[in-house]
Amino acid sequence: GQQLNQSPQSMFIQEGEDVSMNCTSSSIFNTWLWYKQEPGEGPVLLIALYKAGELTSNGRLTAQFGITRKDSFLNISASIPSDVGIYFCAGLNYGGSQGNLIFGKGTKLSVKP
Amino acid sequence: NAGVTQTPKFQVLKTGQSMTLQCAQDMNHEYMSWYRQDPGMGLRLIHYSVGAGITDQGEVPNGYNVSRSTTEDFPLRLLSAAPSQTSVYFCASSYGGRRLSFGELFFGEGSRLTVL
């Protein structure tokens, strides 16, 4: 079946540093989504991407839909302690259902003040 | 708006016991689903529903049942609990498939289940 490879698995950075993480697949997707999960909470949608090559920002977060449609990237600029959490990518194709929504295994981010 | 509400938040069961995890949403979403989250495994889909009266299996459906009698509610039933079902369970909902945004999920806060 389809799989998403998310990397890195974990990151431990200093406050103020920029962060980059990515998600790749052998399959093409028409939608890429990025979620953040804080400790003890459910995931929350950060950014949704619907077009190959699309670059979308949400505050200090920027995500890109890869031109090949097989990958996506998330960047966080000037990290702060509240950025701590697990970041999940997810891929989906048009005409599918939630059964076709595939999640990566997550990138765990730790930020040292 | 309450969003997606899950109950209970914590539960301890003995092997062989049955129970139901409740999920309700007040956003009139067509899609609802249940995921389990285990360390290092990410989010795995158990069952999902595209509307009242319609359910389907996800990646890991064994040992679980669901039903969708109303748009608002989507309970998950564990028929005979096993230690392998110790996990954190999340209910999620989204708008229907005719909208581009149907992949944009709203998650509940999770139900933490331990099976002894």
Side-chain angles (χ1 to χ4, degrees):
Chain A
Q2 294 177 318
Q3 283 189 328
L4 296 185
N5 300 309
Q6 190 170 351
S7 65
Q9 287 186 334
S10 62
M11 303 180 74
F12 192 85
I13 63 169
Q14 198 79 26
E15 182 178 0
E17 289 183 356
D18 295 342
V19 173
S20 292
M21 59 188 78
N22 68 80
C23 208
T24 62
S25 174
S26 58
S27 302
I28 290 172
F29 291 104
N30 291 317
T31 299
W32 284 95
L33 307 116
W34 286 92
Y35 289 84
K36 177 190 178 185
Q37 183 182 27
E38 297 188 3
E41 303 289 330
V44 174
L45 181 67
L46 297 173
I47 294 176
L49 303 158
Y50 294 102
K51 188 176 179 180
E54 180 182 357
L55 188 71
T56 298
S57 293
N58 178 5
R60 293 177 297 104
L61 277 62
T62 301
Q64 184 164 22
F65 192 139
I67 198 69
T68 65
R69 293 161 61 192
K70 293 183 178 181
D71 55 14
S72 181
F73 307 88
L74 177 69
N75 295 318
I76 305 173
S77 62
S79 59
I80 59 178
S82 62
D83 290 333
V84 163
I86 303 175
Y87 292 78
F88 292 101
C89 63
L92 182 63
N93 282 317
Y94 296 156
S97 67
Q98 285 187 348
N100 302 113
L101 181 63
I102 309 297
F103 278 90
K105 294 186 177 180
T107 294
K108 185 175 183 179
L109 178 64
S110 302
V111 180
K112 184 177 181 180
Chain B
N1 282 344
V4 178
T5 303
Q6 291 183 234
T7 58
K9 286 185 169 41
F10 300 92
Q11 184 71 48
V12 178
L13 291 177
K14 295 182 180 179
T15 296
Q17 287 185 317
S18 62
M19 78 157 297
T20 299
L21 299 178
Q22 302 290 346
C23 177
Q25 53 90 11
D26 61 359
M27 297 173 282
N28 201 31
H29 284 170
E30 292 183 13
Y31 279 9
M32 296 187 74
S33 52
W34 278 100
Y35 290 86
R36 61 177 288 172
Q37 184 176 30
D38 303 293
M41 299 297 291
L43 294 161
R44 293 186 291 171
L45 182 65
I46 305 171
H47 285 284
Y48 65 99
S49 169
V50 301
I54 305 169
T55 63
D56 207 344
Q57 295 182 349
E59 179 185 358
V60 289
N62 292 340
Y64 307 95
N65 271 0
V66 292
S67 60
R68 185 96 179 270
S69 57
T70 67
T71 299
E72 295 78 19
D73 300 300
F74 191 44
L76 178 71
R77 297 182 186 83
L78 281 70
L79 308 173
S80 177
S84 61
Q85 293 178 304
T86 293
S87 188
V88 181
Y89 292 85
F90 289 98
C91 180
S93 71
S94 72
Y95 291 106
R98 301 184 73 178
R99 296 184 190 218
L100 191 63
S101 59
F102 82 93
E104 299 179 12
L105 299 178
F106 293 77
F107 283 86
E109 292 186 339
S111 297
R112 286 147 184 83
L113 177 66
T114 301
V115 182
L116 303 175

